[in-house]
């Protein structure tokens, strides 16, 4: 059986059926399959040296090998959206998709079947014969939301790195990239009507090196941002690979970078906001947005530009954060207290809910859906809002039972900044040990959910917070190989966690490590970190024991 990841729903390749030899095959492209054809010519063509020409009009295939791409919704509808079939005979390869996304995933499976060398950017053995096992695959995803959140606010990832991660998500049949674009430590997207958000807010003078308990500092100024054309490119690049990009603009907490750029956004009657800089430390920051109409109008302007950059057909959801908002400044602020009285809300917690409900309605009027961290449940939500359940399963359970859609991303299970092993050599160890096997046994749908509520679980995402990930190599180390296990969890229809065949998954990972090598991924090896992947003497915050199932 070929070593495919994620594991397909059905695959059969008979040992005695022979192989399909592909020497510069033709590419027969049916209507609606042009996007996948472009990807095959560009990516697989680069690795194999194939030109993949189209057959001439009326040309008989003869003895020449052919890859045929077709959309055929009728037979594939039983498997649902994004499903596909792949059939290999002695000289023919047929890829059928229920929709363009399904056809694209069929092409990803084809690349895996060709072997790790098909993941390279140029042929390593020009003129070699490429072989496929004869057989077939029928496949489709378990969940419609299969995502990864990438925090580019704490440590900026340049545009090319984001494009690279889109390719890596697509290679694992993941279809959502949640970009955490703003936080106390940086504002990463150009807003033309508020230029100081990036002129000032995108840069900090230094960074804490390690966890916030570490006494060490990196004194090199850090920053960067995406221009609006950068964002358009990222969104278009993702759409070609059937990846939706969910932008996050954090409010009302996690906002010091914005306040440093525009001091009037903060609680000026209790804090000298003009003296604030972009924060250079990690943790929960006390400087939050003021609950004023001026602040609402400012952020409405931000979202107006954001919606133009993230079209609704690609990015129907907009994330507003809504988490970890300290209330001390509001308690001390006469302006905030008067606002509480005017609105008739339930104290400072009611102010936070007021912020979220305002943008919930504002986005809904423009055809978008708000999604936020599970704190947004406090105070009630409009019917269309969705919840990212991060503090455990409880928020997601409450939201789903109340009829809200949910994305499961509990920190105890799928926060990939958490350490991968308990050894002293893990670099800047954060949180609980979440090994490859632990992630493989993650279950997005809690058993206590009713069937009706379980239908509100859109899927899951793995979250990648980058406080202690200073560059792409560190992100790779934390994300891989665990993202491969996560991808199988959200794509494949696996047994209950305790019954999953982890040994079989590990065996299939042997080939997948070679694919990651070919793709240039700096993953954590099964035997532990390599010498240059370690960070000796830099403090983290390890938590011992099993994580609570909350």
């Amino acid at each position: 059986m070929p070593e495919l990841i994620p594991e397909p729903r059905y695959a059969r390749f008979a040992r005695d059926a022979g192989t399909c030899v592909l020497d510069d095959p033709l590419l027969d492209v049916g209507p609606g399959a042009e996007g996948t054809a472009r990807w095959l010519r560009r990516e697989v063509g680069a690795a194999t040296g194939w030109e993949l020409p189209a057959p001439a009009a009326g040309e008989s295939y003869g003895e020449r090998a052919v890859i045929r791409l077709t959309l055929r919704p009728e037979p594939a509808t039983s498997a649902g959206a994004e499903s596909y079939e792949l059939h290999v005979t002695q000289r023919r390869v047929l890829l059928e998709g229920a929709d363009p996304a399904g056809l694209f995933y069929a092409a990803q499976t084809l690349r895996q079947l060709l072997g790790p060398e098909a993941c390279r950017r140029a042929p390593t053995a020009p003129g070699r014969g490429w072989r496929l096992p004869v057989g077939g695959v029928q496949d489709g995803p378990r969940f419609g939301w299969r995502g990864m959140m990438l925090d580019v606010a704490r440590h900026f990832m340049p545009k090319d790195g984001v494009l690279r991660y889109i390719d890596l998500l697509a290679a694992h049949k993941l279809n959502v990239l949640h970009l955490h674009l703003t936080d106390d430590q940086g504002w990463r997207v150009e807003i033309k009507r508020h230029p100081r958000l990036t002129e000032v807010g995108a840069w900090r003078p230094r960074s804490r090196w390690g966890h916030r308990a570490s006494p060490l500092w990196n004194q090199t100024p850090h920053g960067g941002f995406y221009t609006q054309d950068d964002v358009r490119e990222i969104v278009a690049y993702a759409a070609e690979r059937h990846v939706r990009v969910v932008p996050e603009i954090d409010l009302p907490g996690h906002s010091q970078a914005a306040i440093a750029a525009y001091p009037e956004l903060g609680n000026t009657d209790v804090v000298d906001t003009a003296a604030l800089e972009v924060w250079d430390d990690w943790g929960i920051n006390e400087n939050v947005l003021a609950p004023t109409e001026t602040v609402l109008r400012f952020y409405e302007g931000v979202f107006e530009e954001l919606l133009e950059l993230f079209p609704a057909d690609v990015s129907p959801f907009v994330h507003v954060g809504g988490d970890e908002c300290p209330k001390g400044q509001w308690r001390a602020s006469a302006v905030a207290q008067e606002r509480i009285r005017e609105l008739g809300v339930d104290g400072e917690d009611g102010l936070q809910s007021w912020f979220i409900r305002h943008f919930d309605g504002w986005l809904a009027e423009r055809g978008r859906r708000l999604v936020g961290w599970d704190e947004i449940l406090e105070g009630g939500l409009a019917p269309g809002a969705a919840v990212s359940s991060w503090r455990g399963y409880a928020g997601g359970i409450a939201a789903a039972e109340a009829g809200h859609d949910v994305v499961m991303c509990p920190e105890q299970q799928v926060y990939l900044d958490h350490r991968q092993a308990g050894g002293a050599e893990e670099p800047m160890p954060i949180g609980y040990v979440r090994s490859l096997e632990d992630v493989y046994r993650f279950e997005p749908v809690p058993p206590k959910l009713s069937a009706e509520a379980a239908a509100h679980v859109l899927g899951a995402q793995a979250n990648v917070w980058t406080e202690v990930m200073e560059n792409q190599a560190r992100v790779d180390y934390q994300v891989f190989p665990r993202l491969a296990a996560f991808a199988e969890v959200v794509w494949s229809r696996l047994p209950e966690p305790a019954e999953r065949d982890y040994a079989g998954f590990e065996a299939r990972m042997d080939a997948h490590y070679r694919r990651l090598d070919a793709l240039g991924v700096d993953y954590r090896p099964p035997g532990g970190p390599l010498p240059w992947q370690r960070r000796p003497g830099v403090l983290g915050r390890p938590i011992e024991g099993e994580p609570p199932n909350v």
Side-chain angles (χ1 to χ4, degrees), residues 336-403:
Q337 293 303 308
E338 178 60 26
R339 193 64 159 165
I340 289 171
R341 289 189 288 272
E342 288 175 2
L343 296 171
V345 298
D346 184 16
E348 292 78 24
D349 288 342
L351 277 185
Q352 181 171 353
S353 177
W354 168 76
F355 262 106
I356 300 303
R357 290 183 68 86
H358 174 83
F359 286 104
D360 190 357
W362 190 92
L363 289 166
E365 288 172 1
R366 289 153 181 83
R368 305 301 179 95
R369 294 184 64 186
L370 178 144
V371 57
W373 304 113
D374 54 54
E375 287 95 330
I376 68 172
L377 285 165
E378 299 159 7
L381 285 177
V387 171
S388 301
S389 187
W390 75 274
R391 291 180 292 180
Y393 288 105
I397 292 170
E401 295 287 5

Side-chain angles (χ1 to χ4, degrees), residues 5 11 73 126 215 242 310 313 334 352 412 434 450 460 484 520 530 544:
I5 288 180
H242 303 280
F310 294 88
D313 58 337
Q352 181 171 353
Q412 303 89 348
R434 293 289 84 193
S450 66
L530 299 168
E544 300 304 329

Side-chain angles (χ1 to χ4, degrees), residues 105-318:
Y105 296 133
Q108 292 285 359
T109 298
L110 171 64
R111 181 167 72 164
Q112 287 199 18
L113 289 171
L114 287 168
E117 294 302 305
C119 295
R120 296 193 178 276
R121 296 185 182 181
T124 56
R128 65 168 283 186
W130 294 84
R131 295 176 179 271
L132 289 174
V134 169
V137 175
Q138 294 174 329
D139 201 7
R142 179 185 178 193
F143 293 107
W145 187 302
R146 308 180 302 279
M148 187 186 89
M149 188 226 68
L150 180 61
D151 171 18
V152 296
R154 273 49 176 273
H155 278 100
F156 178 64
M157 179 176 285
K159 178 194 70 177
D160 285 354
V162 176
L163 300 180
R164 173 179 176 267
Y165 258 87
I166 289 168
D167 280 325
L168 290 172
L169 294 183
H172 290 81
K173 300 185 173 72
L174 298 174
N175 67 349
V176 176
L177 173 63
H178 169 178
L179 277 181
H180 183 74
L181 290 166
T182 72
D183 216 294
D184 300 303
Q185 297 86 358
W187 185 286
R188 305 296 180 212
V189 58
E190 177 188 27
I191 304 296
K192 291 185 182 293
R193 73 188 72 183
H194 302 308
R196 286 177 59 83
L197 285 173
T198 46
E199 291 171 358
V200 174
W203 310 93
R204 62 176 182 262
R206 64 176 187 170
S207 306
R208 176 81 69 178
W209 182 231
H211 182 257
R212 60 182 175 271
S214 169
L216 305 176
W217 293 88
N218 181 339
Q219 297 292 343
T220 303
H222 180 83
F225 65 93
Y226 309 112
T227 68
Q228 293 201 350
D229 280 343
D230 288 340
V231 173
R232 291 186 182 97
E233 181 183 355
I234 288 168
V235 170
Y237 192 89
E240 280 193 344
R241 290 151 180 79
H242 303 280
V243 173
R244 287 178 285 154
V245 184
V246 176
E248 180 180 352
I249 302 294
D250 222 329
L251 60 85
H254 290 286
S255 297
Q256 183 162 319
I259 296 168
Y262 291 95
E264 64 271 22
L265 298 176
N267 295 283
T268 57
D269 59 339
V270 294
V271 177
D272 180 10
T273 55
L276 293 177
E277 295 182 327
V278 177
W279 204 26
D280 58 9
D281 211 345
W282 320 126
I284 299 175
N285 190 293
E286 294 292 326
N287 293 298
V288 302
L289 298 175
T292 66
E293 292 296 320
T294 298
V295 170
L296 293 185
R297 300 293 88 76
F298 182 97
Y299 274 84
E300 285 172 0
V302 168
F303 283 117
E304 282 175 3
E305 292 194 24
L306 202 75
L307 296 190
E308 292 178 3
L309 300 175
F310 294 88
D313 58 337
V314 177
S315 303
F317 287 91
V318 175

Side-chain angles (χ1 to χ4, degrees), residues 427-446:
M428 303 188 216
I430 300 294
Y432 295 102
V433 171
R434 293 289 84 193
S435 67
L436 183 66
E437 181 173 359
D438 291 329
V439 174
Y440 190 68
R441 298 192 188 280
F442 165 61
E443 172 50 47
V445 181

